[in-house]
Amino acid sequence: MNLFYWINIFHVMSASILLSALIITIFYFTLSTHAAFYTETKKQIKFVAHHLMMPALLFQLISGIALTLLKKYDFGSVWITCSFIAFSVLLFCALTNFLWVKKRSAQRLLILIECFMLAIIFYLMINRP
Amino acid sequence: MNAIIAYVHVLSSVLFLAIMIASFLWIARNNRLRHKELLAHTLKISLIADGILFPLIILIVVTGAFMTKVAHIPPGTPWVNVAYCLFFLVSIIWFTLVLLKIKNLHREIFSSLRLFYGLNILAIMLFFFIIHDALTQQTWFA
């Protein structure tokens, strides 16, 4: 089986891991209302960000570029440009969320934007408009 | 229309796998703290997520069947049959996991932890094979 399929499989798997990291963060937000677990929640969200989300984002970027090169897609095409822009926004939101933002409402908004960006990337990948 | 169905199929499949992984890691990590209230909350949230998984299972099967029909893939195609069987297995595992979570809802420590870990890892591996079969349109099993 050729390299293209393997990269494609791991691209989809890492997208799932990225989404699961987002879901875990949402789960932890439900826990942060319990005062007893607030510190633990912050610790765990940091753990998820460092060990799940960031590696998945990095892998998505590398495998995405590799797939574009292997399939010889045009880097200037609308769907690739738009998906890279959406991915950049996603990366920016993820970094901002975990490194600088302290307010919970802002964190929730950033997670919502991240989910929306993921949905846009999926749409662009499947339909290639 | 076909593009929308494909979009829904891929999005729901990835979401299904993501919720499975998220629930697994969420329970596994919170169980270590050995706190009854925390475990109850963890399992409750995980069961709410399972409530999303059930319609996703139906959606994946329906959109998958529609896509094979649109793509004129014959009904007996090995990789399609294998994908259906594997997904059926994943659904059974998911149902067993839901029962395990309900059983542990009022306990301080999650019992049958090895079974829980094993079933989750098996489900994720089976899903990996389904993704492999769907992308390559070939299967290792037939």
Side-chain angles (χ1 to χ4, degrees), chain B residues 7 10-13 20 22 29 39 47 61 75-76 86 93 96 106 112 119-120 129 134 138:
Chain B
Y7 175 62
V10 175
L11 198 65
S12 46
S13 307
M20 287 277 283
R29 285 199 70 80
L39 187 64
L47 284 168
V61 173
L86 291 180
I93 291 171
T96 316
H106 301 293
S112 332
L119 286 176
N120 268 298
F129 289 127
Q138 289 169 16

Side-chain angles (χ1 to χ4, degrees), chain B residues 24 28 31-32 112-122:
Chain B
F24 173 41
N31 185 48
R32 285 184 188 175
S112 332
L113 204 61
R114 278 188 187 168
L115 180 67
F116 178 75
Y117 281 4
L119 286 176
N120 268 298
I121 291 166
L122 184 65

Side-chain angles (χ1 to χ4, degrees), chain A residues 39-52:
Chain A
T39 320
E40 186 58 32
T41 299
K42 276 170 78 177
K43 215 168 79 185
Q44 296 296 343
I45 287 178
K46 264 197 176 161
F47 179 86
V48 169
H50 289 146
H51 294 91
L52 219 59

Side-chain angles (χ1 to χ4, degrees), chain A residues 1 20 28 44 47 119 123 127, chain B residues 3 7 18 29-30 41 135-136:
Chain A
M1 196 170 63
S20 71
Y28 274 114
Q44 296 296 343
F47 179 86
Y123 178 80
N127 293 311
Chain B
Y7 175 62
R29 285 199 70 80
N30 284 354
H41 176 86
L135 288 174
T136 58

Side-chain angles (χ1 to χ4, degrees), chain A residues 1 5-6 8-10 12-13 15-17 19-21 23-24 27-28 30-31 33-34 36-37 40 44 47-48 52 118-120 122-124 126-127, chain B residues 3-4 6-7 10-11 13-15 17-19 21-23 25-26 29-30 33 35 37-38 41-42 45-46 49 124 127-128 131-132 135-136 138 140:
Chain A
M1 196 170 63
Y5 285 122
W6 278 111
N8 211 344
I9 290 165
F10 285 107
V12 177
M13 288 297 280
S16 283
I17 292 169
L19 198 56
S20 71
I23 294 166
I24 296 174
F27 283 173
Y28 274 114
T30 66
L31 192 62
T33 49
H34 292 242
F37 303 120
E40 186 58 32
Q44 296 296 343
F47 179 86
V48 169
L52 219 59
L118 258 182
I120 289 175
F122 271 113
Y123 178 80
L124 291 166
I126 294 161
N127 293 311
Chain B
I4 292 168
Y7 175 62
V10 175
L11 198 65
S13 307
V14 172
L15 193 62
L17 182 59
I19 293 176
I21 296 171
S23 288
L25 295 176
W26 161 254
R29 285 199 70 80
N30 284 354
L33 296 173
H35 195 292
E37 197 191 343
L38 176 66
H41 176 86
T42 303
I45 296 292
S46 176
I124 293 164
F127 221 93
F128 171 81
I131 293 171
H132 167 271
L135 288 174
T136 58
Q138 289 169 16
W140 283 324

Side-chain angles (χ1 to χ4, degrees), chain B residues 67-121:
Chain B
M67 281 167 68
T68 48
K69 202 168 184 183
V70 167
H72 302 293
I73 296 169
T77 310
W79 76 266
V80 176
N81 287 347
V82 169
Y84 274 129
C85 290
L86 291 180
F87 193 66
F88 178 70
L89 266 176
V90 171
S91 306
I92 299 277
I93 291 171
W94 164 77
F95 186 67
T96 316
L97 288 170
V98 171
L99 293 179
L100 262 179
K101 286 173 201 171
I102 293 170
K103 190 184 139 197
N104 284 284
L105 204 54
H106 301 293
R107 291 189 178 171
E108 198 168 325
I109 302 166
F110 200 96
S111 66
S112 332
L113 204 61
R114 278 188 187 168
L115 180 67
F116 178 75
Y117 281 4
L119 286 176
N120 268 298
I121 291 166

